[in-house]
PDB file of all heavy atoms in Angstrom:
ATOM      1  N   GLY A   7     210.899 146.317  -7.365  1.00 84.00           N
ATOM      2  CA  GLY A   7     211.656 146.603  -8.570  1.00 84.00           C
ATOM      3  C   GLY A   7     211.307 145.694  -9.729  1.00 84.00           C
ATOM      4  O   GLY A   7     210.313 144.964  -9.716  1.00 84.00           O
ATOM      5  N   LYS A  20     200.787 131.970 -14.709  1.00 92.00           N
ATOM      6  CA  LYS A  20     200.870 130.541 -14.398  1.00 92.00           C
ATOM      7  C   LYS A  20     199.760 130.066 -13.460  1.00 92.00           C
ATOM      8  O   LYS A  20     199.213 128.983 -13.643  1.00 92.00           O
ATOM      9  CB  LYS A  20     202.232 130.236 -13.780  1.00 92.00           C
ATOM     10  CG  LYS A  20     202.489 128.766 -13.510  1.00 92.00           C
ATOM     11  CD  LYS A  20     203.910 128.531 -13.041  1.00 92.00           C
ATOM     12  CE  LYS A  20     204.184 127.056 -12.807  1.00 92.00           C
ATOM     13  NZ  LYS A  20     205.560 126.820 -12.362  1.00 92.00           N
ATOM     14  N   PRO A  38     184.218 131.407  -1.445  1.00 86.00           N
ATOM     15  CA  PRO A  38     184.634 131.949  -0.145  1.00 86.00           C
ATOM     16  C   PRO A  38     186.060 132.512  -0.210  1.00 86.00           C
ATOM     17  O   PRO A  38     186.947 131.936  -0.833  1.00 86.00           O
ATOM     18  CB  PRO A  38     184.557 130.738   0.781  1.00 86.00           C
ATOM     19  CG  PRO A  38     183.529 129.860   0.152  1.00 86.00           C
ATOM     20  CD  PRO A  38     183.711 130.048  -1.337  1.00 86.00           C
ATOM     21  N   LYS A  69     198.853 137.783  15.704  1.00 87.00           N
ATOM     22  CA  LYS A  69     198.778 138.363  17.042  1.00 87.00           C
ATOM     23  C   LYS A  69     199.741 139.533  17.170  1.00 87.00           C
ATOM     24  O   LYS A  69     200.725 139.565  16.433  1.00 87.00           O
ATOM     25  CB  LYS A  69     199.036 137.293  18.102  1.00 87.00           C
ATOM     26  CG  LYS A  69     200.483 136.801  18.164  1.00 87.00           C
ATOM     27  CD  LYS A  69     200.642 135.811  19.294  1.00 87.00           C
ATOM     28  CE  LYS A  69     202.079 135.435  19.458  1.00 87.00           C
ATOM     29  NZ  LYS A  69     202.839 136.161  20.397  1.00 87.00           N
ATOM     30  N   LEU A  78     190.421 145.301  19.862  1.00 96.00           N
ATOM     31  CA  LEU A  78     190.275 143.875  19.580  1.00 96.00           C
ATOM     32  C   LEU A  78     188.837 143.416  19.838  1.00 96.00           C
ATOM     33  O   LEU A  78     188.270 142.647  19.050  1.00 96.00           O
ATOM     34  CB  LEU A  78     191.262 143.088  20.446  1.00 96.00           C
ATOM     35  CG  LEU A  78     191.675 141.713  19.978  1.00 96.00           C
ATOM     36  CD1 LEU A  78     192.214 141.722  18.564  1.00 96.00           C
ATOM     37  CD2 LEU A  78     192.697 141.130  20.938  1.00 96.00           C
ATOM     38  N   ALA A  88     179.144 140.249  11.042  1.00 97.00           N
ATOM     39  CA  ALA A  88     179.230 139.949   9.614  1.00 97.00           C
ATOM     40  C   ALA A  88     179.283 138.445   9.327  1.00 97.00           C
ATOM     41  O   ALA A  88     179.327 138.037   8.171  1.00 97.00           O
ATOM     42  CB  ALA A  88     180.462 140.627   9.010  1.00 97.00           C
ATOM     43  N   VAL A  90     181.796 136.439  10.083  1.00 97.00           N
ATOM     44  CA  VAL A  90     183.156 136.147   9.625  1.00 97.00           C
ATOM     45  C   VAL A  90     183.930 135.448  10.740  1.00 97.00           C
ATOM     46  O   VAL A  90     183.936 135.900  11.885  1.00 97.00           O
ATOM     47  CB  VAL A  90     183.873 137.453   9.209  1.00 97.00           C
ATOM     48  CG1 VAL A  90     185.332 137.192   8.881  1.00 97.00           C
ATOM     49  CG2 VAL A  90     183.165 138.078   8.017  1.00 97.00           C
ATOM     50  N   THR A 113     219.468 119.120  10.576  1.00 89.00           N
ATOM     51  CA  THR A 113     220.580 118.355  10.011  1.00 89.00           C
ATOM     52  C   THR A 113     221.862 118.508  10.829  1.00 89.00           C
ATOM     53  O   THR A 113     222.844 117.829  10.553  1.00 89.00           O
ATOM     54  CB  THR A 113     220.868 118.781   8.552  1.00 89.00           C
ATOM     55  OG1 THR A 113     221.396 120.107   8.533  1.00 89.00           O
ATOM     56  CG2 THR A 113     219.614 118.686   7.696  1.00 89.00           C
TER      57      THR A 113
END
Side-chain angles (χ1 to χ4, degrees):
K20 185 174 182 180
K69 71 177 186 94
L78 203 54
V90 174
T113 69

